[in-house]
Amino acid sequence: MSGEGDANVFVADNICFGFPGKRSVLDQVTFALKERHFHVLVGPSGAGKSTLLKLCAGLLNAKEGTFLLNGSAADCSQRLMQSVYMPQSDTLLPWRTVLDNVMLTLELQGKQSAEEMQERAMALLDSFGLRDCADAYPDQLSGGMKQRVMFARTMLKNVPLLLLDEPFSALDSLTRKQMQRWLLDVWQRDRRTVLMVTHDIDEALLLADTVLVLPSEPGETVQALEVTFARPRSFELIYEPAFVERKRLLEHMLLGGDNL
Amino acid sequence: MTFLVLLAVLLVWELMVRIFDIAPYILPPPSDVLIAMWDARDLWGQHIWMTWSEAMLGLAISMLIAFLMSVAMLRSLQLRKALYPLLIVSQTIPLIAISPIFIIWFDYTIWSKVAVAVLWSFFPIVISLNEGFRSVSPERREMMISLGASRLQIFRLLEWPTALPSFFAGLKMAAAYAVIGATVGEWLGAERGLGFFARRASNNMQTDLLFASVFILCVMGLLMVYAVKYMKRGFVR
Ligand SMILES: Nc1ncnc2c1ncn2[C@@H]1O[C@H](COP(=O)(O)OP(=O)(O)O)[C@@H](O)[C@H]1O
Ligand SMILES: [Mg+2]
């Protein structure tokens, strides 16, 4: 869906970062996120994808470089206010029901009455296909269901930028496909700017408007690959020659050109 | 089942003492212990109340200090790095050897016994509370921060609930330890309390009364452990 509103809402400009006492993880990382586009970040493990997402979220402070939100520099607290980060692992609170887990987002803001919060959370659970498990505890849910609850909790924070760290990595491949379809569906309605990390190349190409490739060695540039398949996308897409061609290109970018 | 085993043990004990004709000051039969307990029924109240008060006060003070210390260690990494090894090492101190110092400091007042009860019950609480706080996953913390949680909200909604099961596990142990501590304190220097009573009985070779007070102490410790267990149900799913 390129063409409409291609403004860069979020820019990372020459970001450098390293954990104290370790060699640098990210060096001069530069990329831009377009408004209401779905961006997928791929790269070898250990390349610093999670670290980069936490930097974007304002959870970490860059050593050098600036982040721009709608054109103006954004420090940690501004990034914290304008984005939401969903970590990779299971972060549901096991002592809270599904409804209470989702309501946490509103509870932390503390602006609404209990009934209002409940109503909003319930409405979202409904549209996410979770109405029936509102009173269940997380340990009673399947992996896919848990992931949906985490999405609901994350998306209830009303911010323009969603930062998703490998949301499907813990799921079996079938559930994963269902969840990709589900996420496409949810996102199509929601249409916020997304930056999502994944390991899965098919997943990246199915979901993304733009795939960003984080290099394995700090210092190399982040490459971007535009994915222009029409939306809504079907799962049959992965068998089409145009898809295979993109996939070849992306694998080439990830692994380098020297084939065996 | 446990009850049956206990009954069997008492029965064997009774029989052994009678068959081998063991002198009552060496090992009185359970029936003698019961009779002695009954004969001394007017005495127990004040001693039980004393030990109970010391143990409860000690436990409460332990909880307070342990809580403050654990929260400080949760907030400051430097403090945790400095104190945690000391806490672990302090586990190896023979508590009974340093208990007399409190009798020297606080004399025969109730506070010397409370202090010994604190000494005995403090470590299980502070260590379990620390383990609890440390088990908070960094990802959950990041999730809370990203959702806009304040420091206080993170504590109230994430850190404290995560630490709660571990805290209660420690408290259960500490409850029994507080009774032991109070008794040790009384043994070392007191004018009232089950520890004092047991010591006097022991000095007078009234072994039946010694066993009677030990029995009452066991029941008291058990009651405290069960009280904690019961309390836990209200807090932890
Ligand atoms: N909290 C941390 N402290 C120290 N080093 C870390 C920390 N988190 C990640 N790292 C290191 O930073 C590098 C990048 O990690 P990460 O961003 O998780 O990579 P990715 O998500 O791409 O797999 C790794 O080498 C990892 O060991
Ligand atoms: Mg990662």
Side-chain angles (χ1 to χ4, degrees), chain A residues 133-145:
Chain A
C133 60
D135 293 325
Y137 284 91
D139 57 11
Q140 298 167 309
L141 302 181
S142 68
M145 285 303 218

Side-chain angles (χ1 to χ4, degrees), chain B residues 112-143:
Chain B
S112 59
K113 271 69 75 182
V114 171
V116 180
V118 169
L119 175 73
W120 283 69
S121 59
F122 171 71
F123 294 109
I125 306 183
V126 78
I127 284 174
S128 61
L129 205 46
N130 257 285
E131 292 302 325
F133 283 142
R134 277 180 63 174
S135 69
V136 177
S137 90
E139 283 88 8
R140 289 211 171 101
R141 196 172 271 134
E142 283 161 356
M143 173 276 290

Side-chain angles (χ1 to χ4, degrees), chain A residues 10 66-69 72-79:
Chain A
F10 187 85
T66 42
F67 286 99
L68 304 174
L69 257 167
S72 44
D75 61 12
C76 272
S77 69
Q78 280 165 309
R79 277 177 277 144

Side-chain angles (χ1 to χ4, degrees), chain A residues 158-225:
Chain A
N158 202 3
V159 287
L161 178 59
L162 305 180
L163 302 161
L164 313 173
D165 199 350
E166 303 201 39
F168 306 139
S169 63
L171 305 177
D172 63 85
S173 65
L174 205 66
T175 312
R176 196 181 175 114
K177 285 212 163 67
Q178 288 169 346
M179 287 298 295
Q180 289 164 356
R181 190 180 311 209
W182 176 86
L183 179 61
L184 268 181
D185 198 49
V186 165
W187 178 73
Q188 221 102 244
R189 283 180 270 153
D190 187 82
R191 257 343 184 52
R192 278 185 263 180
T193 310
V194 171
L195 177 59
M196 177 181 128
V197 175
T198 182
H199 267 117
D200 185 326
I201 290 177
D202 282 344
E203 182 172 289
L205 291 169
L206 261 175
L207 297 177
D209 295 305
T210 307
V211 179
L212 299 167
V213 182
L214 192 66
S216 54
E217 280 307 305
E220 293 171 30
T221 54
V222 177
Q223 290 176 283
L225 178 75

Side-chain angles (χ1 to χ4, degrees), chain A residues 54 59 80 84-85 87 89-96 104-105 107-108 137 139 153 157, chain B residues 137 139-150 153-154 156-159 161-162 237:
Chain A
K54 286 175 206 172
L59 291 166
L80 264 174
V84 62
Y85 169 67
S89 54
D90 176 3
T91 52
L92 294 176
L93 305 179
W95 56 86
R96 284 182 165 230
L104 178 71
T105 312
E107 219 176 303
L108 292 174
Y137 284 91
D139 57 11
R153 182 178 65 187
K157 184 177 176 192
Chain B
S137 90
E139 283 88 8
R140 289 211 171 101
R141 196 172 271 134
E142 283 161 356
M143 173 276 290
M144 294 287 283
I145 297 172
S146 189
L147 289 181
S150 65
Q153 282 174 323
I154 293 177
R156 198 165 53 82
L157 300 172
L158 175 65
E159 289 164 339
T162 305
R237 183 174 79 88

Side-chain angles (χ1 to χ4, degrees), chain B residues 201-217:
Chain B
S202 152
N203 288 348
N204 299 341
M205 300 282 232
Q206 294 167 313
T207 316
D208 46 0
L209 280 178
L210 175 62
F211 271 103
S213 43
V214 168
F215 177 75
I216 290 173
L217 280 168

